[in-house]
Amino acid sequence: MLLSAVLWGPWLAALILALLPVPEARTAVAPASSLKSSETRSLLKGVAIALASGLLALQALLWKTMDVAVGGFQLAEFQAWLPGLGLNYSLAVDGLALPLLGLNALLTWIVVLSSDRTQVRPKLFYVLVFLIHGGIAGALLSQNLLLFLLFYELELIPVYLAIAVFGGPKRDLAAMKFLVYTAISGLILLGALVALGWVAGGTVPEFEFGAVQSAQIPLNVQLALAIALLIGFGIKTPLVPLHAWLPDTYVEASAPIAILLGGILAKLGSYGLFRFILQLLPQAWQVLSPYLAVWGAGCVLYGAIAAIAQKTSSGWWPTVPLGTWATFCWRGRRPPPWRSPAALSRWLATG
């Protein structure tokens, strides 16, 4: 039940804030005589901080409960949901998802704590922040391919609204560009993951991670699926030249939302590369890994060169560490023991 608490806690927090019987403040600065408006903002921020602190405490409990000396997935929860479609409520956590879950909770807490007391529409802002948190947590905990995709898509809605409502002068264009690119990413991933489930299950599709991982999939099929997944997750990461949505989105997003975008949201793309290509399609990864490493190094160089011409760092700083995820796999499926932890640590450090 601990993973369910981690998953549904932010959704509950968003619901609590949405139902608070306080009026929404639609202007950045209230009149000097409006003490009630100031008190409302303080109340909303206080409740949001308390809820974010509770989610952070849940993460501390999860870290304490996990046995870090044991590899593989732990604390698994399973409940049949729509078995006819292969969609089940299947959760688990391992050493890859655990630090990202902690980073997600920490960044949410920082965003809430550092939010401006003159924030326009603070209730909506805090609700969207917790919904983003919940969508990311669901994607990281999902052990069912379709459940992962469901949460992967759900978090797009609050992110789009956060950019469109709280962004800069060109926020509408940036929000639409983000939505279109990530929707394309979702469609590609839907096709690839459904195909993967059918290939792994044979006559009956199989979408449970463990069953797919143990399936024997021919190399040519693995390569086709890996390329589709690489494009889908490459848009989210993003990888050059699939990054056209990134500059406008990061520049136009408000500072708190940019923190979530660069700190954790973009990591869902590279998380998908680790989780679904490296772990489910290992032979394809072994073939593609040298090319991925070169591609990643090219992304680093491109980001560094582009950064020279920028007046602000917000549009390009996330592109600099793009090659980290690829460099550790240079020698294929089983890298030296130091390479994978080092790359993952560098990857997490960008949050």
Side-chain angles (χ1 to χ4, degrees), residues 135-290:
I136 294 172
L140 294 174
L141 290 172
S142 296
Q143 285 296 288
N144 181 280
L145 272 59
L146 297 182
L147 187 65
F148 165 84
L149 193 61
L150 176 63
F151 283 110
Y152 182 90
E153 293 297 309
L154 276 178
E155 48 86 12
L156 300 182
I157 301 172
V159 174
Y160 167 79
L161 291 174
I163 298 171
V165 175
F166 303 104
K170 299 180 180 178
R171 59 183 180 272
D172 292 337
L173 175 62
M176 185 56 64
K177 187 180 289 188
F178 169 81
L179 184 63
V180 169
Y181 271 81
T182 49
I184 293 173
S185 167
L187 289 174
I188 295 173
L189 292 177
L190 174 62
L193 292 178
V194 169
L196 180 57
W198 275 101
V199 170
T203 56
V204 179
E206 177 59 69
F207 297 107
E208 292 301 309
F209 186 88
V212 176
Q213 190 173 27
S214 61
Q216 299 298 318
I217 302 176
L219 176 58
N220 60 333
V221 178
Q222 284 196 32
L223 286 171
L225 293 172
I227 291 172
L229 291 172
L230 180 61
I231 295 172
F233 287 121
I235 294 173
K236 187 80 167 186
T237 302
L239 300 175
V240 178
L242 307 174
H243 69 296
W245 63 270
L246 181 142
D248 288 339
T249 301
Y250 278 76
V251 170
E252 296 302 323
S254 63
I257 301 304
I259 290 174
L260 295 178
L261 282 170
I264 185 64
L265 191 68
K267 286 181 174 55
L268 278 184
S270 42
Y271 170 83
L273 295 171
F274 281 125
R275 181 68 79 202
F276 296 101
I277 302 182
L278 175 60
Q279 295 187 352
L280 297 185
L281 306 170
Q283 291 177 306
W285 180 272
Q286 187 173 12
V287 172
L288 295 174
S289 58

Side-chain angles (χ1 to χ4, degrees), residues 304-316:
I305 293 171
I308 297 174
Q310 300 302 308
K311 296 180 180 179
T312 64
S313 62
S314 58
W316 290 107

Side-chain angles (χ1 to χ4, degrees), residues 108-129:
T108 299
W109 183 80
I110 291 173
V111 165
V112 172
L113 184 66
S114 60
S115 62
D116 194 340
R117 291 190 179 274
T118 62
Q119 173 70 52
V120 177
R121 307 182 72 175
K123 181 189 288 191
L124 176 61
F125 174 79
Y126 295 130
V127 167
L128 292 177
V129 167

Side-chain angles (χ1 to χ4, degrees), residues 270-349:
S270 42
Y271 170 83
L273 295 171
F274 281 125
R275 181 68 79 202
F276 296 101
I277 302 182
L278 175 60
Q279 295 187 352
L280 297 185
L281 306 170
Q283 291 177 306
W285 180 272
Q286 187 173 12
V287 172
L288 295 174
S289 58
Y291 306 101
L292 296 179
V294 173
W295 191 0
C299 290
V300 173
L301 292 175
Y302 178 85
I305 293 171
I308 297 174
Q310 300 302 308
K311 296 180 180 179
T312 64
S313 62
S314 58
W316 290 107
W317 68 263
T319 66
V320 176
L322 288 179
T324 305
W325 60 269
T327 54
F328 88 98
C329 64
W330 184 273
R331 294 185 182 178
R333 178 183 174 185
R334 298 184 183 277
W338 59 268
R339 191 170 296 169
S340 180
L344 290 174
S345 298
R346 178 67 181 86
W347 174 54
L348 290 169

Side-chain angles (χ1 to χ4, degrees), residues 76-107:
E77 300 179 19
F78 181 87
Q79 179 64 48
W81 185 9
L82 297 173
L85 298 177
L87 177 59
N88 298 309
Y89 182 76
S90 180
L91 308 178
V93 64
D94 67 348
L96 177 61
L98 183 64
L100 289 176
L101 288 166
L103 180 62
N104 188 27
L106 177 61
L107 290 179

